Amino acid sequence: MDFNDSPEEAEFRARARAWLAANAPEVNWAQLDQSDEPAMKAAGQAWQARKADAGFACISWPREWGGGGESPVMQAIFDEEEGAYGIAFRFFGIGLGMCLPTLMAVGDAQTCKRFVGPALRGDEIWCQLFSEPGAGSDVAASRTRAVRANDGSGDWIVNGQKVWTSGAHYSDYGLLLARTDPDVPKHKGLTMFWLDMRSPGIEVRPIHQASGDSEFNEVFFADVRIRDCQRLGEIGEGWKVALITLMNERLAVGMGSGPGWRELLALARELPGADGRPAVEDQALREKLADWYVGAEGIRLTRLRVMTALSRGQAPGPEASIGKIVSARQMQDVATEALDRLDQFGIVAGEAGGADIAAFDYNFFFGGALRIAGGSDEILKNIIAERVLGLPADIRVDRDVAFKDIPRGR
Amino acid sequence: MNFDFSDDQKFLKREARKFLEAACPIATTRSVLDSRDKPFDEPLWRKVVEMGWTGTVIPEKWGGSGLGHTDLCAIAEELGRVIAPIPFASTVYVFAEAILAFGEDRQCERLLPAIAAGEAIGCLAVGEGRGRLACDAMTTRVEDERLHGAKIPVTDGDIATHAIVAARDDAGLGLFVVDLATAEGVRREPIESLDPTRSAARIVFEGAECERLGAAGEGKAQLDTVMNRAAVLFAFEQLGGADRCLETAREYALERYAFGRVIASYQAIKHKLADIYVKNELARSHAYYGAWALGAGESNLPLAAAAARVAGIQSYDFAAKENLQTHGGIGFTWEVDCHLHLRRSRQLALALGGISNWREQLVQELEARNQH
């Protein structure tokens, strides 16, 4: 066992490192104002284009669409090297991680030719329009309707609502899961489309989240007209297409970020605990810190196992699926512990609290989002149980029922 | 990036599994469980010796195979799967490792070939009573190369031919080797243990002859090294056991019907098994990292070993308990094997010191690395 690159990987890493050294320092990444979204977007697009020009964007995508045609391990190596500069943009993950891979899997050559290049360069940004108020974990219960226009054009008219759409307000295009036939069981009546987010009839509204922030959107569709050539896959085959996206989502959805055991350890060294001694001397806290290290480091090491499989030209095993289950819960727990250790001062937020506390506050709430986004803890456990361990699927009372006859609650 | 067993090691592992499925069916483990006068399974021990496993990492000049520790990790995982009722851990992970780490050439020449040939069974005699081991409070003493004191519990202490004993002399704490088979002044009392598939003893030294292992007064640091090295190998045994628990829980859940369908179709059971899977994969990743640290040198070992040990204890403990729970009432009978894992998981969790010690070591390592 070792962590050494193969000769090809070492050569690629040296090339990536040299390119980054020549290009990355031109921007002062730490100085970028994360809250200034237009400025961040411009910086992100400029950087993405630069990577694309040098052949470092979408390194593992097929060459025919402008990718690098390399093994996924090369992408991982580049990400590692890029990460060392603190370069991270949230604008491209959904498009490049989920939407475009779906497009490349089912879209025709013309569609791929049209969209892959601009997305890869960061010129066009994509969002994913799947979840609905009545279709979360059960996303196949989507009710947003796409109905053929009665003018003989073959166009589709879309009405309905999507929710929890990250980046809808700055996206150029979206991947839309819509119901085209409510008279058949739910999985069979769905169809996938791409659409222009500036189409008439689309309204994007920010969601006022439980955390107080607005990072996600609702998207409303009122008689939005889309052409039949915007359909991805056959009519009624939308669920199969969605599964491609969702499979990619589980690998792409963010791991826990922000303060973890390291920051909690730093905080606990400063804080007074029992009898005025530093909180870090409390054995109960130390035991938890050890367990959180085991969780966080275990996930990092598990990613290295995945990279090893990729490096050997093998498909990664199912172990990749444990990441979010562990890290999302831990994000919430570590933040809760930090607030507990602040004792009464833990209720203080904003400027009066300080930046380090604000980061724990953010995770205290956002951990709750991450445990739901991209497959809730419960859905992910179902997936492990069914796909990894081969246990039976749940009994589904709605499986053979026409979608329109399935009971609706809230 | 090679953060996995190599193809050769995977081959070794497959062969080991095949061999153990034939040589160590659960009936073998049960034969030790059920008979008080059978502390281990000698035929299995002899076969394991014939396979060369006791000499896996012992250099060829001392009668071993001269393989690396990752090869030994692969074997450990397979031994853990089958709850092997032999003194392999005491002899190979602890005793042989200690001799390799601290033995002078003449000690290596005498002891290592005997381990490789299966003539020597080793044990580690450290604990003296209830509660956490405190090196400063240890009362076993060495005077004029003679040992005085009592150690309890000593895993495999009743069957071992040699012991490494932690004891104090004028220089402080040290490690000492005792030839239990020939030395006078050694009294051994077998004791009952929570996992009867591994035996244990109280050993009383009444002026027994001993020889120093390594430098005088370095016993604390030496013990840390011995424990850290063994912790990684224990983690692989724990991983093998935890994986086996998940498999048996899964098999049973797919066969058992309740309320008209297999219990594996209920989310309460599915999520339970998914939880075991997650813990086992975390433990596997940490065990691998420990295996790397074992081979790569000392500086990463204390942290890697502690993390592997914490994850190993947690996963096997959880898997053994939830395997029994998944079985329901039948799982709480002597005849069903769930309790064999429950017992072995406890044995492995405690034999190198409980989880709190290792969590504390882990946090101390983190503190040392994150000073600001």
Side-chain angles (χ1 to χ4, degrees), chain A residues 276-309:
Chain A
R277 292 197 313 278
V280 73
E281 290 179 18
D282 183 329
Q283 207 55 36
L285 176 63
R286 297 175 75 80
E287 302 230 334
K288 289 181 191 175
L289 277 169
D291 289 352
W292 287 324
Y293 171 83
V294 166
E297 181 69 2
I299 293 303
R300 188 184 76 83
L301 293 169
T302 303
R303 275 205 299 274
L304 299 183
R305 286 167 55 204
V306 172
M307 268 185 74
T308 299

Side-chain angles (χ1 to χ4, degrees), chain A residues 1-6 9 261-262 265-266 269 280 283 286-287 289-291 293-295 297-299 301-302 304-305 307-308 311-312 318-319 321-322 325-326 378 381-382 384-386 388-395, chain B residues 1-7 9-10 70 236 246 250 254 261-262 264-265 267 269-271 273-275 277-278 281-282 284-286 288-289 291-292 303 307 310-311 314 356 359-360 362-364 366-368 370-372:
Chain A
M1 283 194 203
D2 62 63
F3 300 98
N4 303 334
D5 290 332
S6 71
E9 289 161 6
W261 63 263
R262 202 177 262 107
L265 173 61
R269 283 172 151 167
V280 73
Q283 207 55 36
R286 297 175 75 80
E287 302 230 334
L289 277 169
D291 289 352
Y293 171 83
V294 166
E297 181 69 2
I299 293 303
L301 293 169
T302 303
L304 299 183
R305 286 167 55 204
M307 268 185 74
T308 299
S311 172
R312 292 178 181 178
E319 62 273 5
S321 58
I322 71 171
I325 291 186
V326 174
E378 291 76 12
K381 285 182 189 180
N382 278 356
I384 289 174
E386 292 170 22
V388 180
L389 302 177
L391 305 182
D394 280 2
I395 289 177
Chain B
M1 183 71 60
N2 285 295
F3 192 49
D4 191 1
F5 288 119
S6 68
D7 287 345
Q9 285 153 356
K10 285 181 180 174
T70 314
F236 277 91
L246 177 55
R250 175 185 176 276
L254 284 167
R261 53 183 167 125
V262 292
S265 65
Q267 283 195 347
I269 297 294
K270 289 164 74 172
H271 288 190
L273 299 194
D275 288 339
Y277 175 80
V278 170
E281 290 310 310
L282 287 178
R284 192 181 322 281
S285 295
H286 281 290
Y288 283 12
Y289 191 68
W292 170 78
L303 178 59
V310 170
Q314 287 176 331
S356 288
R359 283 183 173 131
E360 177 57 28
L362 195 161
V363 174
Q364 284 179 14
L366 295 182
E367 287 179 304
N370 289 274
Q371 279 166 346
H372 47 221

